[in-house]
Amino acid sequence: ASFRLVLVLLLIARATLYGQSAEQWFQRGDSLELAGNSAAAITAYTKALTIQPRFVSALANRAISKQSVGDLQGARADYDAAIAIDPSMALLYANRGTVLAEMQQSKAALADFDEALRRNPHDADTWANKGLIYYRDGDYRQSVQSYTQALRELPQSSLFYSLRAQSKDAASDKEIG
């Protein structure tokens, strides 16, 4: 009977940390991140994950905070863990793609963007991120195509028009040069 009581007490203790639930720590992390305090947000999300280790939103948001402070390996690890739990979320692939792009891993970033677009083909930002990668890598024609698709999804974006024009100019210069 005492073993069962200890187990119940451990489960109750795990359900809260310092008197707060995983959801409360998660919300605190969101507030801290919105306030620009990414380091403190990471701590709050980590506490939420201590209580609820498979909390995909906490993993994803902690990854965003880690990326904000320059911990790209940590951000990638959090996205990997979140995708392992819920591989259906397009945004996880798109966000991990941005981390991989920052890490100069273009091929892996493009693969994640493609997976995100397979799951959500109407995500203008992911199409634009593909355009950025192609532009950075000197594949201006693919960059133009990606920005064109981004504009199909979000035609009011003056930024996408500008980036597509820049890609077109670079493609012309490459052909002339």
Side-chain angles (χ1 to χ4, degrees), residues 78-172:
D78 280 351
Y79 283 126
D80 290 346
I83 289 168
I85 295 166
D86 186 356
S88 69
M89 290 181 65
L91 186 60
L92 295 174
Y93 294 96
N95 287 354
R96 185 175 67 181
T98 65
V99 170
L100 293 165
E102 253 189 273
M103 296 171 76
Q104 306 299 313
Q105 296 179 17
S106 296
K107 188 175 180 178
L110 287 169
D112 268 359
F113 293 148
D114 286 341
E115 183 61 26
L117 290 167
R118 188 180 74 74
R119 294 168 186 284
N120 180 11
H122 303 292
D123 185 350
D125 290 333
T126 300
W127 282 109
N129 282 334
K130 281 185 71 168
L132 286 169
I133 297 293
Y134 285 128
Y135 185 87
R136 182 182 72 193
D137 291 351
D139 190 344
Y140 305 119
R141 289 195 180 282
Q142 284 287 85
S143 181
V144 169
Q145 289 176 1
S146 294
Y147 287 126
T148 298
Q149 187 61 41
L151 285 163
R152 283 188 189 114
E153 304 303 332
L154 192 64
Q156 67 271 27
S157 174
S158 59
L159 175 62
F160 296 165
Y161 279 106
S162 175
L163 292 169
R164 183 176 70 175
Q166 184 179 356
S167 295
K168 284 182 177 181
D169 289 344
S172 295

